[in-house]
Amino acid sequence: MRFKDVFSIIGPSMVGPSSSHTAGAVRLGRTARHVLGAQPEQAEIIFYGSFATTYQGHGTDLAIIAGLLNYDTDDMRIKDALAQSELAGLKVELRTAQKAGVHPNTATLILQRGEQKVTVTGCSIGGGNIEIVSIDDFDVKFTAVYPTLLIFHADRRGILAEMTDIFKHADANIGYMEVDRKSRSGDALTVIESDEVLSTDFIDQISKLPDVYKIRVINLTAKGENHEVL
């Protein structure tokens, strides 16, 4: 097996009985919060598979809510996440559903703050690791292990070359890149995992490209708030 990182071998520093049902769930919640770009005011959480049958016993509901509050996997407040969410003004609705062909530990998070709304579906794949598989009807695939850019833009010729050119001149390395679009010349989402944390100036250059609507930055190693670029 190829060595990836220490986290993949020894697992996360965590609070809770299960790396899949609690630590991974925290990371799902944090990632979804970063996709929204702010603290949500409302959250609908839909559990599938094993999550649906065991989420209360394993504290998966508390873990995802903790992630929405931007807590890390070892935060002692996870057990009190429901009460903390009420104090933070976050209204949470929990439900279960069936969905064919999904990983057993899958959840969909529908988050809203004011006029902003996002739908994020992800899986907890073991050892505290996650995989995001859908954002607002875009099919994606990323793990949030590395600093990740979500670039929402129009599908036009040359825009990907313009993005990669900015990486080239900043001497930043792309570890993984994926694009999905809703239609030809319609809305598109480009996901870029980088080997390093990207500076605010770098993100600003990407945001100023023609036909880029917004950018979200996912960096789960950061203790502060994530970047938001509209």
Side-chain angles (χ1 to χ4, degrees):
M1 179 184 294
R2 184 171 65 91
F3 174 77
K4 292 177 64 178
D5 51 49
V6 172
F7 179 82
S8 66
I9 296 175
I10 65 174
S13 174
M14 57 172 276
V15 173
S18 167
S19 60
S20 294
H21 286 70
T22 47
V26 170
R27 300 183 84 237
L28 283 176
R30 284 193 76 200
T31 300
R33 174 194 169 108
H34 287 200
V35 176
L36 179 66
Q39 164 82 52
E41 297 170 335
Q42 299 180 55
E44 179 181 359
I45 304 170
I46 308 168
F47 297 104
Y48 305 99
S50 177
F51 269 2
T53 57
T54 65
Y55 75 88
Q56 291 176 312
H58 283 154
T60 308
D61 50 348
L62 297 177
I64 289 184
I65 294 168
L68 294 177
L69 295 172
N70 216 25
Y71 299 170
D72 210 341
T73 56
D74 58 355
D75 197 306
M76 296 304 295
R77 295 173 293 176
I78 291 173
K79 64 182 185 299
D80 301 316
L82 190 57
Q84 293 295 327
S85 69
E86 294 177 357
L87 293 174
L90 169 57
K91 183 179 179 181
V92 179
E93 177 184 349
L94 305 172
R95 65 184 179 92
T96 63
Q98 295 183 346
K99 194 173 188 179
V102 298
H103 187 281
N105 301 331
T106 297
T108 293
L109 288 72
I110 304 171
L111 310 181
Q112 191 163 356
R113 182 182 180 90
E115 298 299 314
Q116 298 181 75
K117 185 176 181 179
V118 297
T119 300
V120 179
T121 298
C123 318
S124 180
I125 59 176
N129 297 293
I130 65 169
E131 185 173 271
I132 303 300
V133 298
S134 177
I135 296 176
D136 289 342
D137 296 325
F138 289 108
D139 293 329
V140 297
K141 186 176 182 180
F142 66 91
T143 63
V145 170
Y146 304 100
T148 303
L149 285 184
L150 306 180
I151 306 169
F152 297 83
H153 59 92
D155 175 43
R156 67 164 171 84
R157 293 182 180 180
I159 192 167
L160 296 182
E162 293 166 12
M163 292 178 192
T164 56
D165 190 60
I166 291 174
F167 270 85
K168 175 183 176 181
H169 286 91
D171 196 29
N173 191 50
I174 296 175
Y176 173 80
M177 183 173 183
E178 182 181 38
V179 184
D180 190 31
R181 61 183 185 177
K182 293 185 178 179
S183 64
R184 180 182 293 182
S185 301
D187 292 333
L189 171 58
T190 294
V191 177
I192 299 178
E193 291 183 347
S194 174
D195 286 344
E196 51 271 313
V197 176
L198 302 171
S199 69
T200 302
D201 289 342
F202 177 93
I203 296 164
D204 189 52
Q205 290 183 61
I206 297 284
S207 70
K208 289 179 179 178
L209 289 176
D211 299 312
V212 169
Y213 307 144
K214 66 180 178 181
I215 295 178
R216 292 292 184 263
V217 180
I218 299 171
N219 179 17
L220 299 190
T221 65
K223 295 298 183 181
E225 287 299 314
N226 52 296
H227 299 283
E228 176 183 357
V229 183
L230 299 177

